[in-house]
Structure formats: structure tokens, C-alpha cells
Amino acid sequence: MRPKMQILFQDADSSLHPRMRIRESVAEPLKLYNLVPESDTEKKVVELLEMVGLQKEHLNRYPHELSGGENQRVVLARVLALGPQFIVADEPTSALYVSVQAQILSLMNEMQQKYGFSCLFISHDLSVIRKMTSNMGVMYPGKLVETGRTEDVFETPKHPYTQALIASGRVAGLDNKQKISPIEGEIPDPMNLPSGCKFHTRCPQRMNLCEKVAPEMVNVGTGKVACHLF
Ligand code: SF4
């Protein structure tokens, strides 16, 4: 199953071996799983690089000779080399300049349409989540508090944390005149989490019950929410 599940990390530069040329890095999974005859490896590597917008001239370069965006393209080429059915993309663009981010996200969308893989996309950037996902889950801290169809969650967020996140205005297209309302209080220490609902120390709608009992996920509309209000 392993070749069918791949991961894209946040920092592409450290995902590539600094002493391996791009040709070797992209060829490695092909050799490891005997996907193409050795005589065809270079042809396949060039094909993969071209697919992600790089050229033959990149073959002999080392990661330090490429930009962050180019290295993320190389990693994507290497991931796609195995024909995965499932990709975990862990903040794959957060280390990149905004203009490069947009290019990589479009490329990922294009590749997903072409190859049809499923993708678990992890991000702190709500505008990226809205652009990239059809279904989403919101975590606090480390636990799902709301899941649902992305557009539904953005249009009618149910959990007070999701509501606060969306109101904090990190969403693309936010009207500049709209006020940003930050969430009060601090993120709890993961080693010393609050009792009951983990959001109760910051929730404007908390009730007595919230401090004592952790809410279970329940079906609400097209999604699920873990909150005693539901
Ligand atoms: Fe707020 Fe209570 Fe819902 Fe937690 S369970 S989010 S404290 S209302």
C-alpha cells in the first residue's frame, strides 16, 4: 500500500537530499518500486519534471540551486511518480512566497483532476482551505470540533471556535472595512488541557456543563459538530 499513499511536507528544501541531484531524487522511487526499466528512467524523470512545470535543464541541479517553489515542484513530481491514490499535504505552501503559493496550489488542483487522487490538505490558512477542499475539518487543539462540506462550514459555521476563526478575517475576499475580531485568551497548554470542552476557557457561549463534560460529535445539517449548543 505504501506507494499508494504519499506525503508532501511543508519545507520542500529539507524533503530533498541536499547531495542528490534532482534527477536522482525523482528517479529514486521509480527504482525502488521497479516502475520503469532502467533504460527508460531518465525519460520518465524528464516527463515528470515537465508535468510539474520544470525542464530538462533542472535534471543536474542540486536542491540548493533551486527556489523553494521549484523544490516543491520536484517533490510533487517525485510523489506523483508512484501514481498515489492518497496524498497528505502538510502545509505544502506555507513556506513559499504568496505568488509561488498560488502556482503550487493551481498545480496541485490540476494534478488532482488529472490523476484523481484523494488529498488530505492541512493548513492554517482558511483562504487556502476554501480554495483547495470540498470537505473540511476544524481542529482545536488536536481534536476535530467541526466537519462538513467546505462551503457549508464557511457559510454557516456552527462551532463557536469555527465561528471565531472565520470572523477573525483570514478569509480571501474579506472586505477591508470588516472588523477583525480576534479570539480572546490563549491556546491551552497541550500538556495541561482544560476539563470538559477544550474551548471553554475562550468560548463566549460557554455554559456550566461545558467545563465538566466533553461534547461528543453529533450530526448537524450536512456536517458534524462537537458542542453542547447542539
Ligand atoms: Fe462553547 Fe460549550 Fe460549545 Fe465548548 S461546548 S464550544 S464551551 S458552548
Side-chain angles (χ1 to χ4, degrees):
M1 282 181 66
R2 287 206 175 172
K4 299 291 171 208
M5 301 186 290
Q6 293 295 304
I7 186 159
L8 266 179
F9 291 103
Q10 181 175 2
D11 183 2
D13 298 4
S14 61
S15 302
L16 295 166
H17 195 299
R19 294 189 188 177
M20 281 169 82
R21 295 177 193 275
I22 300 308
R23 72 161 70 228
E24 296 163 311
S25 281
V26 179
E28 202 179 27
L30 299 173
K31 289 181 183 165
L32 204 61
Y33 290 100
N34 286 323
L35 292 183
V36 286
E38 204 170 333
S39 54
D40 291 343
T41 303
E42 175 145 340
K43 194 170 146 225
K44 181 70 183 169
V45 169
V46 173
E47 204 179 284
L48 286 162
L49 288 180
E50 286 177 349
M51 199 170 66
V52 296
L54 296 172
Q55 290 85 40
K56 216 172 173 180
E57 67 192 55
H58 292 101
L59 278 177
N60 287 323
R61 299 208 194 149
Y62 288 96
H64 75 269
E65 296 177 292
L66 270 60
S67 67
E70 286 171 331
N71 277 334
Q72 197 59 292
R73 286 171 190 265
V74 173
V75 176
L76 188 56
R78 190 174 60 176
V79 159
L80 294 172
L82 295 170
Q85 291 171 3
F86 177 55
I87 296 178
V88 176
D90 186 6
E91 301 251 24
T93 56
S94 58
L96 304 174
Y97 291 115
V98 176
S99 56
V100 184
Q101 273 185 13
Q103 290 170 12
I104 298 292
L105 294 176
S106 300
L107 180 62
M108 286 186 69
N109 268 335
E110 196 186 312
M111 293 297 120
Q112 192 181 25
Q113 274 164 25
K114 189 165 176 184
Y115 294 103
F117 52 80
S118 300
C119 184
L120 174 64
F121 196 99
I122 301 161
S123 177
H124 286 90
D125 187 332
L126 290 176
S127 61
V128 170
I129 292 292
R130 196 169 196 174
K131 178 180 162 67
M132 296 298 288
T133 67
S134 51
N135 291 276
M136 67 183 277
V138 179
M139 299 183 90
Y140 183 92
K143 244 190 139 181
L144 284 169
V145 295
E146 180 162 0
T147 61
R149 289 206 295 257
T150 301
E151 267 320 299
D152 294 348
V153 175
F154 274 94
E155 288 303 319
T156 50
K158 308 228 167 17
H159 194 282
Y161 177 59
T162 315
Q163 290 173 351
L165 266 188
I166 289 173
S168 72
R170 292 168 66 199
V171 184
L174 179 79
D175 178 348
N176 284 338
K177 293 185 202 111
Q178 273 178 267
K179 269 192 125 185
I180 291 174
S181 19
I183 303 169
E184 304 269 323
E186 298 290 325
I187 297 170
D189 175 0
M191 298 300 286
N192 189 21
L193 290 172
S195 57
C197 170
K198 306 296 174 258
F199 191 54
H200 86 254
T201 51
R202 308 173 76 190
C203 180
Q205 299 179 68
R206 67 178 162 268
M207 305 166 278
N208 285 341
L209 175 69
C210 304
E211 280 177 47
K212 297 182 189 107
V213 183
E216 298 286 331
M217 273 280 197
V218 291
N219 292 324
V220 181
T222 54
K224 290 185 176 208
V225 188
C227 171
H228 290 310
L229 293 172
F230 298 89

